Amino acid sequence: MNQAVIAERYPVPPEELRWRSTGVRSADDFLQSSRNDLEVFDKQALGREGKSFRSFQSILDFGCGCGRLIRSLRPSCAPSATIHGTDIDPAAIKWCKENIPDASFFLGDGEPPLPFTDKSMDLIYACSVFSHLDAEHQFRWLVELQRILKPDGYLLLTFRHNCNMERIADAAMRERIASALARDGIAFTTTDTWKDVFPSWYGETYHSTDYVRKNWGSYFEMRHIIKAGELAEETAVLRALDSTFLQRVFRLS
């Protein structure tokens, strides 16, 4: 058995689930990406705010798939923290419930609401979720994530600017995406890759940073954007809007 598998806290999901959740078939690549991406969130995205996963008590992995990131999260957060995952893939959620016992998992149907009370999460992250949603569903979920995020809570959302666009074989499609991105700041296209796996609103989405700052920033306080690097997509670091400077001052006074 591969040494990377032996060292893992939980079993490794089967290949089909790894591919459906992440587009990755290799077990080694799946496990390595789990550790790498979580470290970017912890050290870079939250670190620039003077925070880490240990700063939070209620954490939600929105679009958890088969637990790629959650499997590496427990050792990085406070022992008393509660960890939750939600996804629309029934097989992935079933696998998580059976194999990752120290987190809770919920199956969604692609539409709000989530099974959480108002202002119940102090950290929410979504890795490679908004890079697959059409604009209408993005705004629906921004409203819902805004509802469940605590005052002073943080939200980490990854997005693609031009990442992987060069892999699109169809030159005309690349041009349409580039034109829409330049014109509207967002480009969404359906793909046969996910045709029989996910609903029609799940495809390939690209955003400009200006679009993200303007539109996502109308729901949350935009703190900063981490450029793609070790994590293949950009990461928007946002905070609950009611955590503005003056409101924090008045709460403390």
Side-chain angles (χ1 to χ4, degrees):
M1 182 179 290
N2 186 284
Q3 291 299 312
V5 175
I6 294 174
E8 286 296 310
R9 185 184 185 95
Y10 311 107
V12 179
E15 180 180 333
E16 178 64 17
L17 282 184
R18 297 197 301 268
W19 176 80
R20 281 161 53 137
S21 294
T22 64
V24 170
R25 293 191 181 275
S26 161
D28 284 347
D29 290 347
F30 177 86
L31 297 174
Q32 190 62 49
S33 71
S34 170
R35 295 185 285 267
N36 288 349
D37 291 359
L38 207 70
E39 185 171 0
V40 171
F41 279 171
D42 194 38
K43 305 299 184 184
Q44 297 184 39
L46 294 173
R48 285 187 60 176
E49 294 290 299
K51 304 283 187 180
S52 72
F53 281 119
R54 292 190 178 274
S55 306
F56 304 96
Q57 286 297 313
S58 51
I59 303 173
L60 172 64
D61 184 330
F62 178 67
C64 65
C66 56
R68 182 179 70 93
L69 295 184
I70 280 183
R71 67 181 301 113
S72 298
L73 180 58
R74 176 53 71 186
S76 301
C77 65
S80 58
T82 58
I83 301 173
H84 310 277
T86 182
D87 202 274
I88 63 171
D89 186 339
I93 291 296
K94 181 177 184 294
W95 189 91
C96 287
K97 287 181 175 181
E98 293 173 349
N99 293 279
I100 304 179
D102 48 3
S104 59
F105 295 93
F106 304 89
L107 177 64
D109 62 4
E111 298 290 345
L114 292 169
F116 306 110
T117 58
D118 294 358
K119 303 185 187 308
S120 57
M121 298 292 161
D122 54 8
L123 175 64
I124 304 169
Y125 65 80
C127 187
S128 193
V129 174
F130 280 67
S131 46
H132 293 289
L133 304 182
D134 65 23
E136 180 181 352
H137 281 80
Q138 288 187 39
F139 288 121
R140 291 181 190 175
W141 283 113
L142 287 171
V143 171
E144 176 65 359
L145 298 179
Q146 184 185 55
R147 178 186 71 81
I148 65 174
L149 189 63
K150 290 181 180 179
D152 285 325
Y154 279 84
L155 173 64
L156 310 179
L157 299 180
T158 72
F159 66 96
R160 287 179 294 189
H161 180 201
N162 53 17
C163 174
N164 294 334
M165 199 182 299
E166 72 281 356
R167 297 183 185 178
I168 301 174
D170 186 335
M173 176 64 74
R174 287 200 308 272
E175 180 59 33
R176 285 196 295 273
I177 291 172
S179 295
L181 196 58
R183 182 184 65 249
D184 305 321
I186 184 172
F188 172 80
T189 180
T190 56
T191 171
D192 290 341
T193 303
W194 310 113
K195 184 177 179 181
D196 298 320
V197 180
F198 297 120
S200 61
W201 44 258
Y202 189 97
E204 303 297 333
T205 310
Y206 298 84
H207 302 80
S208 71
T209 54
D210 286 343
Y211 178 96
V212 167
R213 290 183 185 278
K214 177 182 177 182
N215 290 278
W216 297 4
S218 66
Y219 294 87
F220 302 93
E221 178 187 355
M222 178 65 69
R223 299 296 293 168
H224 51 270
I225 292 176
I226 304 293
K227 292 184 178 180
E230 289 183 62
L231 197 161
E233 300 183 358
E234 282 76 13
T235 302
V237 181
L238 306 113
R239 190 166 58 184
L241 271 177
D242 58 353
S243 64
T244 61
F245 173 76
L246 287 178
Q247 287 170 316
R248 294 200 304 276
V249 168
F250 285 128
R251 275 207 303 273
L252 293 173
S253 62

